[in-house]
Amino acid sequence: MVTSSGVSGRIAVDAMGGDLGPAEVVAAVQLALAEFPDLNPITLVGDTAVLTPLLASAQLANSPRASVFHASEVIAMDDKPLAGIKRKKDSSMVRAIELVKNGEACAIVSCGNTGALMAGGTLKLRPMEGIARPALAAVIPRENGHFILIDAGANPEARPEHLVHNAILGSHYCRVMLGIARPRVGLMTIGTEEGKGNALITETNELLRRVDDIINYAGPIEGFQVFTDHVDVVVCDGFVGNIMLKSWESLVNFFKSMLKEELSANPLRKAGALLSKGAFNSFKERINPERYGGAPLLGLRGTILKAHGSSNRYALKSAIRAAGEVIKADMNHLIEADITRANARLEQPAA
Amino acid sequence: MVTSSGVSGRIAVDAMGGDLGPAEVVAAVQLALAEFPDLNPITLVGDTAVLTPLLASAQLANSPRASVFHASEVIAMDDKPLAGIKRKKDSSMVRAIELVKNGEACAIVSCGNTGALMAGGTLKLRPMEGIARPALAAVIPRENGHFILIDAGANPEARPEHLVHNAILGSHYCRVMLGIARPRVGLMTIGTEEGKGNALITETNELLRRVDDIINYAGPIEGFQVFTDHVDVVVCDGFVGNIMLKSWESLVNFFKSMLKEELSANPLRKAGALLSKGAFNSFKERINPERYGGAPLLGLRGTILKAHGSSNRYALKSAIRAAGEVIKADMNHLIEADITRANARLEQPAA
């Protein structure tokens, strides 16, 4: 099948990079193919000697929907990102990226070394026309749903036009992943009084207003609004975004351990916790990172979905599904069109 | 009594600015004086006609430990900060700041308009010798204790030397408030791989290493370490700090409402929640912002403690206690000495 992207529509899955090993990745592929009959075909990239028997056990040996592409090396979690990409030319990650570069696949799913995946993607896949640097997005639960955080860590020294591009990238990903037709975009800042924020924010805010027919710009937002139902896309640079994302994870872990400690402090509390177990399970499910499995690196010619190193089959299945959605929606072409319109607007002198 | 600061050691309390009104402020003063026999004397600043009867009801009319300083106006929460400070010259906030400026008090506690307090403090009290801009600190609960976040929002465009000053300010506040003799200081960044972070962080990291006999520098830290027992002072600029702080509050609120919803979804869960009520109460107490009531604006000639606008008497009592501790420890003189040593080091050319 040839999609409107002019390529196969295949998803390249790095089968070797995760903490749980290739068996878990194959299990994820098996689950995804079973659950989503329309899912794009998948190429598992990795050691054939390891993957072929796993595919056979998964009843996928002769499936037209899954194939293997051989790669003899693996980039380890503790490999230096750039060195790993440059030295391990026959690694599953590098080969998966090259499949996209050569038009043999449209998207990559990997739970390998994050730094290497970002560096490799950015070096080997060119940015889209009109975009200087890719951005990492994350899907985060909040009141009444989820929001997209972009950039979650790819570009720590953004200029105003990069943030405008982030807004466009995030809006499209929000549409595809969360099904929101006209996502509200907020620019992360501090205070909304005059003179607050910084020079980057002031200039970006002005640029975002110029393109508010392309994106649905809701204005600057403050930290206290992030987890309320206020915007669907939170735009920031990769420095602020990564710090927010990781500190939230740290806070959630702190909360969970505190709650666990308190709930097991005496027999009465333990009994209560047992009775209300369903509540804690639903609670966990609502903030379950497995639901949206991968963080996409957006703005490149080809989509890279980074799943957590410790991803299990369910998280990986979600990431594979996300890759399929992105390809089917022809998201990257729609993004390029909006970027072209926005850049034309940004080049005009200020009114 | 004349302290080593050469002034009275009095605490000026803005009695008019909070959401709960002057009666709550007087109640806080009454609690603080009763609980802390060594507490510095307090000057309540506000409308005498309102405050005198409140003090009489609180049995403080003739106390040598509490007095009233008249101010006829109040800066409202919705007043524009700069305009409020400039127009309302006889407001309780401006008068309280002036008491410190004139050496009649050493510290201010206010739960009034944050922007006005910051603007007023920065304009009317000069920064300490060697410091360009003040920084706002916050005490945040984490695994095994608390940490100091600095700057939580005063200076959104910091240069490297400002962050070094924040490290010194935060260390001293940590010593006084958390009783940690040699607080570990971390510099907030993303990733610790080469090439990560941004130019501000790279340069600040180098400067912090130069002064690591003055502060106990533990190196850069990432978001995932913030709520673990890794450092005692987290240094960042006011843009990042304010976004973190407010997004954490937003996340906590989201969490609480989700948990409440889940725990009341059916009778079984409700019964369980009732049995384990003690756990939720202890949990709330552990993250209770009332314990450290005020966020100090540090680096000025005089300490300003900003309490939340909705502070009740217990939160305000904690803020008043904090002001007393800061004065007793002669914190500002110790800070000035460290700033002088650090600045001499920073002026030397890089090794």
Side-chain angles (χ1 to χ4, degrees), chain B residues 138-154:
Chain B
V139 183
I140 316 280
R142 64 140 160 81
E143 234 177 61
N144 305 330
H146 292 77
F147 69 92
I148 307 287
L149 174 74
I150 185 165
D151 175 14

Side-chain angles (χ1 to χ4, degrees), chain B residues 274-304:
Chain B
L274 204 64
L275 284 182
S276 42
K277 199 167 179 232
F280 298 110
N281 290 342
S282 302
F283 180 69
K284 266 191 215 159
E285 186 49 39
R286 282 170 74 170
I287 58 164
N288 186 352
E290 287 170 16
R291 282 178 61 176
Y292 293 95
L297 189 63
L298 300 173
L300 297 172
R301 294 169 197 247
T303 302
I304 297 186

